[in-house]
Amino acid sequence: MAVISWCKKQSLALALTSMASFAVQADSLFTDKQAEAMADLASSCIHKEFPNVVKHYFLGPQDVRSPKELYPAFFGCLDWHSSVHGHWLLVRMLHKAGDQLDSKAIRKQLEQSFKPSNLVGELAYFNRPNSGSSFERPYGLAWFLQLTTELRQWDDPQAKEWLQRLLPLEDKIVENISAWLPKLAYPIRVGEHSQTAFAFGLMLDWAREAKDKEFETLLSSRIKDYYLKDKDCPLAYEPSGQDFLSPCLAEADLMRRVMSQKEYAKWLAEFFPSLPKNGKADWMPVARVTDRSDGKLAHLDGLNLSRAWMLEGIASALPKSDVRRAAVVAAAESHRAASLPVVMGDLHYMGSHWLGSFATYLISQRGIASN
């Protein structure tokens, strides 16, 4: 009850802050403070090489190299996938809130990362024997496709140039995923990087924007094979101690992308049969973080953010008259209210190198908005 009461207070404070800024910035997704904070989080780490967690298959002593040597474009932000979605964050912010930022400085940073020679090096890494086909699969690959999705949707000359430079790596990544999907016998139902449901959602959004019908057909077919018959998802078992994605919510947020509204409402009744109809948020308490300097325990801040956007995605796919919708929206609001102030606060690097991307995805409704 104390957590719920705190969340209500946070929700009210956040709502009042949003109302105050709305009168000044009615056409902006972000307040000036949010825009600056999100951009600063990514700008401060995309070219910060150390500390670093390198996931690298050593074929011999010649492969002992620094992160920047291994990944010339995406070496910062502690690891490859965080660097990739840090770059996505900056592109997203330029696209949606460029007039609220020092756009010139951010463009300079992105141009430095996206130099042709750097991207040649990135592609070379993916072409290495024995390791390139599984590298960063599926999480980092999904975020890379989110990055090129954003560039496709932004009508900007420099964005178009960056996209052209990234296309060879995009082709390689799609090739790798396409070869993997027919061989993946089962979905991966965890709360961390290897989870398939969240990654498939980002990949499917890319396929539709890129108009890659072949990949969309393959992925949609596999999604239905993996998840269509699922029932009674065990929400009571969540969260695990270091989740940043909900296995159940991610699946529900994914399935709305491949079903009609009527089909989805029926599927959701069997998948979440206990979803309340009373409009309350207490069916999904906000996750508690005990140590933000511990990278794994800090994952739970990301869980609260991703839960919020997944719940919003689920609500967006239900008819407004659906009696379950209010409880889904209430839970989304409680998670949003609890998590956004954390990102706007004084974060440890274990959280600051990646939580800005999750907050940006939530604030700008990336998984729901068409652009």
Side-chain angles (χ1 to χ4, degrees), residues 256 259-267 315-320:
R256 68 177 171 84
M259 306 175 80
S260 69
Q261 186 179 71
K262 184 177 180 180
E263 291 171 335
Y264 182 67
K266 181 179 179 180
W267 177 87
S316 74
L318 292 173
K320 286 188 167 52

Side-chain angles (χ1 to χ4, degrees), residues 44-113:
S44 65
C45 79
I46 62 167
H47 296 143
K48 181 182 175 70
E49 187 173 11
F50 299 104
N52 207 300
V53 177
V54 174
K55 297 177 181 178
H56 177 54
Y57 190 94
F58 292 90
L59 297 173
Q62 73 279 1
D63 288 331
V64 179
R65 289 181 286 165
S66 70
K68 191 173 183 179
E69 290 173 315
L70 294 171
Y71 325 124
F74 303 120
F75 60 84
C77 297
L78 196 69
D79 46 44
W80 192 88
H81 54 260
S82 297
S83 178
V84 168
H85 62 62
H87 284 78
W88 165 80
L89 185 164
L90 293 176
V91 172
R92 181 71 170 165
M93 296 306 300
L94 288 177
H95 182 190
K96 295 298 180 181
D99 59 347
Q100 297 171 255
L101 303 166
D102 184 351
S103 295
K104 185 176 179 180
I106 294 173
R107 285 177 182 271
K108 185 177 180 181
Q109 280 191 301
L110 291 171
E111 176 63 24
Q112 179 181 339
S113 294

Side-chain angles (χ1 to χ4, degrees), residues 204 208 220 223-224 254-260 263:
L204 192 58
R208 290 168 175 167
S220 296
I223 287 169
K224 291 176 181 179
L254 170 66
M255 292 304 287
R256 68 177 171 84
R257 292 169 161 95
V258 295
M259 306 175 80
S260 69
E263 291 171 335

Side-chain angles (χ1 to χ4, degrees), residues 354-367:
W354 67 284
L355 286 173
S357 297
F358 273 45
T360 299
Y361 194 94
L362 171 62
I363 294 168
S364 64
Q365 296 190 306
R366 190 64 185 99

Side-chain angles (χ1 to χ4, degrees), residues 68-363:
K68 191 173 183 179
E69 290 173 315
L70 294 171
Y71 325 124
F74 303 120
F75 60 84
C77 297
L78 196 69
D79 46 44
W80 192 88
H81 54 260
S82 297
S83 178
V84 168
H85 62 62
H87 284 78
W88 165 80
L89 185 164
L90 293 176
V91 172
R92 181 71 170 165
M93 296 306 300
L94 288 177
H95 182 190
K96 295 298 180 181
D99 59 347
Q100 297 171 255
L101 303 166
D102 184 351
S103 295
K104 185 176 179 180
I106 294 173
R107 285 177 182 271
K108 185 177 180 181
Q109 280 191 301
L110 291 171
E111 176 63 24
Q112 179 181 339
S113 294
F114 298 152
K115 289 192 304 183
S117 59
N118 288 343
L119 298 176
V120 167
E122 291 283 342
L123 183 58
Y125 191 83
F126 273 80
N127 284 321
R128 292 177 75 248
N130 300 325
S131 62
S133 63
S134 62
F135 179 67
E136 287 287 351
R137 186 183 71 195
Y139 182 78
L141 306 187
W143 274 113
F144 181 88
L145 295 181
Q146 185 71 191
L147 169 61
T148 56
T149 297
E150 196 72 41
L151 290 169
R152 277 184 170 84
Q153 293 179 333
W154 184 20
D155 186 16
D156 176 86
Q158 195 169 29
K160 295 180 188 300
E161 172 61 27
W162 290 333
L163 176 62
Q164 288 304 307
R165 298 179 194 174
L166 287 162
L167 285 180
L169 184 52
E170 179 187 85
D171 289 342
K172 180 62 177 177
I173 284 172
V174 173
E175 176 187 322
N176 286 354
I177 299 168
S178 298
W180 173 60
L181 285 173
K183 296 184 288 187
L184 183 66
Y186 312 101
I188 303 169
R189 306 175 188 275
V190 298
E192 295 187 271
H193 306 88
S194 58
Q195 185 195 110
T196 47
F198 169 68
F200 288 166
L202 267 59
M203 292 174 184
L204 192 58
D205 291 348
W206 170 85
R208 290 168 175 167
E209 182 62 33
K211 297 180 172 54
D212 189 326
K213 293 296 184 182
E214 182 178 358
F215 184 79
E216 180 185 355
T217 299
L218 170 62
L219 182 56
S220 296
S221 174
R222 299 305 285 144
I223 287 169
K224 291 176 181 179
D225 289 342
Y226 296 136
Y227 302 116
L228 192 58
K229 295 180 181 179
D230 284 359
K231 297 179 181 180
D232 298 313
C233 197
L235 265 177
Y237 292 177
E238 297 187 23
S240 293
Q242 55 192 36
D243 283 355
F244 63 88
L245 299 168
S246 161
C248 288
L249 291 185
E251 181 176 338
D253 189 38
L254 170 66
M255 292 304 287
R256 68 177 171 84
R257 292 169 161 95
V258 295
M259 306 175 80
S260 69
Q261 186 179 71
K262 184 177 180 180
E263 291 171 335
Y264 182 67
K266 181 179 179 180
W267 177 87
L268 193 67
E270 296 187 343
F271 187 67
F272 283 151
S274 61
L275 199 61
K277 302 174 183 178
N278 59 9
K280 295 183 179 180
D282 55 1
W283 63 280
M284 180 167 282
V286 172
R288 182 171 60 93
V289 183
T290 58
D291 184 355
R292 291 190 167 92
S293 68
D294 184 308
K296 289 293 189 177
L297 297 179
H299 275 179
L300 290 164
D301 277 323
L303 177 69
N304 289 330
L305 290 163
S306 64
R307 276 180 170 183
W309 82 56
M310 290 171 184
L311 288 161
E312 289 180 356
I314 293 166
S316 74
L318 292 173
K320 286 188 167 52
S321 59
D322 194 304
V323 294
R324 301 166 295 178
R325 193 172 182 274
V328 175
V329 171
E333 290 176 348
S334 68
H335 281 75
R336 173 187 283 262
S339 57
L340 286 182
V342 172
V343 185
M344 299 293 291
D346 185 19
L347 283 171
H348 189 279
Y349 192 62
M350 288 296 99
S352 67
H353 78 273
W354 67 284
L355 286 173
S357 297
F358 273 45
T360 299
Y361 194 94
L362 171 62
I363 294 168

